[in-house]
Amino acid sequence: MTELNFRRHRRLRTSANMRAMVRETQLDKQDFIYPIFVVDGENVRNEVKSMPGVYQLSLDLLGEEVDEVASLGIPSVILFGVPDAADKDAEGTGAFHDHGIVQKATRFVKERQPDLLVIADTCLCEYTNHGHCGVIENGIVLNDKTLELLARTAVSQAKAGADIIAPSNMMDGFVAAIRAGLDEAGFDHIPIMSYAVKYSSAYYGPFRDAANSAPQFGDRKAYQMDYSNRTEALREAASDVEEGADFLMVKPALSYLDIVRDVKNNFDLPVVAYNVSGEYAMVKAAAANGWIDEKQIVLETLTSMKRAGADLILTYHAKDAVRWLEGKA
């Protein structure tokens, strides 16, 4: 046989220990942010039909959930408020009320688990009776009038004890408005985790079930990004960096790993990938039908997000992922 000249890459794959020794990307529980949906009322534990294992929880049942998160070593949660329909109005005033559901939940979590970082989702869509992320006039979301309400929301969340403000509305100038509002209120130490690159995506469907936040007319394409665009993401992220963002989030994650890498390569801030509800729901549905190995699919998917450049991953799989990584399930 003719002598061949080639590299033997398989030498580094010969055993589990060898593969672990040279593994380039490592998932860790410190990477995860766990989302929680909080509702008014008592003894409410509503499983989201399209998101098995995810629940809307009232404050009296929230303690068990955050205790479990803390016991697993997950360092942070993000709180989404689900107010009663009767409390919604045209300007989403429940978002910035001192006794709003996120504000109450934030105080509860910080008292119960003071070391757990609380991230407050800062948007209006869950609180408006029209389901859009801002003030509506003649069927159009008004950018600049919305900014004032977002700043008020961020300040009220910081007053309640939120460690990080996470605005998800995609209004132009939202980071600048929120940064100015926080600084003027004495919260210059509170970082902003900007949903810097948020696409208009069909992957959000189950979340809108969980948060009761679907728009009552039209869609959000006039303010969320067109999923066909790539360079626009860098313009969006650059604006948020200039305005004072401390983290840059890309949402969704799985179909946008190229964007995660672009953001990582171009900016020196921590990058967050949001493993969104539709991505979660598809895995759960396929696993329930026995078509995939849920554990292996989830860990592979989350690793791909970190490999693409995510420093943090916001995921509904967080609790299960920690158990799997630590051999507890």
Side-chain angles (χ1 to χ4, degrees):
M1 181 177 177
T2 303
E3 183 177 349
L4 302 177
N5 181 21
F6 58 90
R7 296 285 301 275
R8 294 192 178 274
H9 301 287
R10 291 179 56 191
R11 290 171 180 158
L12 301 184
R13 305 171 193 157
T14 54
S15 68
N17 281 340
M18 182 71 76
R19 292 189 293 273
M21 178 182 289
V22 300
R23 189 161 292 141
E24 299 173 33
T25 306
Q26 302 279 354
L27 271 182
D28 186 86
K29 59 189 176 185
Q30 295 292 322
D31 301 332
F32 300 137
I33 300 167
Y34 185 65
I36 299 177
F37 297 95
V38 188
V39 299
D40 284 312
E42 294 183 358
N43 200 33
V44 179
R45 183 179 173 84
N46 297 329
E47 187 171 28
V48 180
K49 186 175 181 181
S50 54
M51 300 177 69
V54 174
Y55 297 84
Q56 297 175 334
L57 297 170
S58 53
L59 284 178
D60 56 316
L61 300 183
L62 186 57
E64 181 179 347
E65 181 82 333
V66 297
D67 289 350
E68 181 183 20
V69 171
S71 71
L72 289 169
I74 297 169
S76 59
V77 296
I78 184 166
L79 299 178
F80 295 98
V82 188
D84 291 335
D87 294 331
K88 298 185 180 187
D89 57 33
E91 293 190 340
T93 57
F96 48 85
H97 196 289
D98 286 343
H99 297 288
I101 186 61
V102 164
Q103 288 78 0
K104 290 190 292 186
T106 298
R107 287 190 288 267
F108 178 91
V109 175
K110 294 307 294 184
E111 290 174 5
R112 180 94 175 198
Q113 292 288 347
D115 292 333
L116 197 62
L117 288 174
V118 172
I119 305 169
D121 177 68
T122 307
C123 197
L124 304 178
C125 61
E126 296 104 312
Y127 305 91
T128 56
N129 53 19
H130 46 73
H132 280 281
C133 302
V135 178
I136 298 286
E137 189 174 295
N138 298 322
I140 298 172
V141 177
L142 300 182
N143 192 91
D144 295 6
K145 287 188 177 181
T146 299
L147 295 181
E148 178 184 351
L149 302 184
L150 293 171
R152 291 178 65 183
T153 300
V155 170
S156 73
Q157 293 169 337
K159 286 180 178 178
D163 298 290
I164 300 172
I165 299 300
S168 59
N169 55 89
M170 288 300 286
M171 297 295 113
D172 291 335
F174 70 94
V175 173
I178 289 171
R179 185 72 272 160
L182 289 171
D183 291 354
E184 289 170 9
F187 295 107
D188 58 340
H189 61 290
I190 298 293
I192 296 174
M193 181 180 286
S194 171
Y195 286 61
V197 182
K198 182 177 179 179
Y199 286 89
S200 179
S201 173
Y203 283 101
Y204 303 152
F207 175 91
R208 292 169 183 170
D209 291 341
N212 298 338
S213 63
Q216 298 303 301
F217 65 89
D219 53 42
R220 295 174 178 151
K221 293 182 179 180
Y223 43 102
Q224 295 178 0
M225 288 176 53
D226 185 331
Y227 60 72
S228 302
N229 295 350
R230 182 174 181 177
T231 58
E232 182 186 8
L234 297 180
R235 297 197 300 272
E236 286 280 359
S239 294
D240 289 1
V241 172
E242 291 169 4
E243 293 171 18
D246 300 283
F247 303 79
L248 299 173
M249 187 184 295
V250 176
K251 180 184 179 183
L254 188 56
S255 290
Y256 300 84
L257 296 182
D258 58 326
I259 309 301
V260 173
R261 174 46 59 185
D262 285 345
V263 172
K264 183 65 174 178
N265 286 346
N266 282 275
F267 304 99
D268 60 0
L269 296 180
V271 176
V272 185
Y274 195 149
N275 179 209
V276 298
S277 60
E279 298 164 3
Y280 174 89
M282 290 191 299
V283 169
K284 284 292 187 179
N289 279 283
W291 298 335
I292 60 171
D293 181 320
E294 181 179 356
K295 172 184 174 180
Q296 297 303 324
I297 286 286
V298 169
L299 294 181
E300 181 178 343
T301 299
L302 297 178
T303 300
S304 75
M305 294 170 189
K306 191 168 183 185
R307 189 184 66 238
D311 299 287
L312 299 167
I313 303 170
L314 199 164
T315 177
Y316 304 95
H317 294 292
K319 294 190 297 183
D320 285 337
V322 170
R323 294 187 185 101
W324 291 328
L325 288 171
E326 298 186 347
K328 297 176 181 178

